[in-house]
Amino acid sequence: MLAGITAVAFHPGVVNSNIGTGAAGITNLIYNTRLGRATMISNDKGAAPLVHLATLPDPHSVNGQYFNKMQANSRTSKQARDGDFGRKLWDHTESLLGASFSGTRGAGSA
């Protein structure tokens, strides 16, 4: 683990942003129609989880967790819990960056 580093993942919900610009098919219907946009949350509400998690007094208390619409969610995928995959991802990332993090390992390490 890297000292002082906290990793948290979150999904804010479907945000009324321009992420779907140029999309096709069902994604186009969701992101680029008045009806689709009416069901989305505002950019401010979409940013709220990031602001909340980034300003926690004790961010390490949520280290490694996944939040869905600000609810801690233990239903992560099998791949997310796969330590071997985590090690391979860590090694591949180091390779892409051309860096080594002094033998430290990510959350998936044994």
Side-chain angles (χ1 to χ4, degrees):
M1 176 181 284
L2 296 174
I5 302 294
T6 299
V8 179
F10 74 95
H11 188 303
V14 183
V15 180
N16 188 0
S17 68
N18 66 354
I19 194 168
T21 301
I26 189 73
T27 305
N28 180 56
L29 292 175
I30 295 169
Y31 283 99
N32 297 313
T33 64
R34 188 174 295 174
L35 179 61
R37 288 190 304 273
T39 64
M40 297 178 189
I41 63 174
S42 70
N43 289 323
D44 287 345
K45 286 184 180 180
L50 175 62
V51 172
H52 172 75
L53 292 167
T55 59
L56 286 173
D58 181 16
H60 192 69
S61 67
V62 295
N63 192 33
Q65 291 188 41
Y66 169 70
F67 289 82
N68 186 6
K69 299 178 185 175
M70 287 314 303
Q71 299 297 314
N73 188 342
S74 62
R75 296 180 309 149
T76 56
S77 69
K78 182 178 176 182
Q79 187 179 44
R81 297 184 309 273
D82 184 337
D84 186 49
F85 181 79
R87 282 185 290 283
K88 289 177 183 175
L89 177 60
W90 184 270
D91 292 342
H92 184 66
T93 301
E94 283 185 330
S95 175
L96 289 172
L97 295 174
S100 176
F101 297 100
S102 303
T104 58
R105 290 286 184 184
S109 64

